[in-house]
Amino acid sequence: MGDRFADAPSPCIDICKYKRQGRCVGCSMTKMEKDSFPRSGSGEAKKRFFETLLARLEAEHKNPAFWIMSYRRKCELEGVPCPLDLSEAVDGEA
């Protein structure tokens, strides 16, 4: 179930400009979150991290489409499947 997220790259999309409440304008993560993501554990823990990040973007009234598009491109460049494309199948398995 969470295995698809186990190898997911960091949600960082390499903009790394910190503003509002110490959050990056590109991915909405703090520096601490960026540093801790690779060690965030299982695929299930990473999946929850992504869900939290998407909810944060929406709560800040930001359209997450830019981040999603940028993250998909990052996954493509790294040669890994984008877990966001598989998340519907993961949710359906629960």
Side-chain angles (χ1 to χ4, degrees), residues 51-92:
E51 291 168 345
T52 300
L53 181 62
L54 286 167
R56 179 186 298 163
L57 289 167
E58 290 175 6
E60 292 176 356
H61 305 290
K62 294 174 85 176
N63 183 346
F66 171 77
W67 176 80
I68 291 170
M69 178 185 68
S70 299
Y71 185 72
R72 282 185 176 130
R73 185 164 193 274
K74 175 182 181 171
C75 290
E76 182 180 310
L77 290 171
E78 291 188 16
V80 297
C82 180
L84 302 177
D85 295 338
L86 305 171
S87 63
E88 291 179 20
V90 172
D91 292 338

Side-chain angles (χ1 to χ4, degrees), residues 9 14 21 39 44 53 55 81 84 87 90 93:
D14 300 322
Q21 304 166 345
R39 298 179 298 278
E44 190 60 37
L53 181 62
L84 302 177
S87 63
V90 172
E93 292 174 5

Side-chain angles (χ1 to χ4, degrees), residues 2-32:
D3 293 342
R4 294 177 175 163
F5 282 84
D7 295 326
S10 167
C12 174
I13 55 172
D14 300 322
I15 292 176
C16 302
K17 292 184 182 178
Y18 297 91
K19 297 205 177 186
R20 300 170 236 116
Q21 304 166 345
R23 297 190 192 285
C24 176
V25 297
C27 65
S28 196
M29 290 192 294
T30 64
K31 288 180 183 182
M32 184 182 295

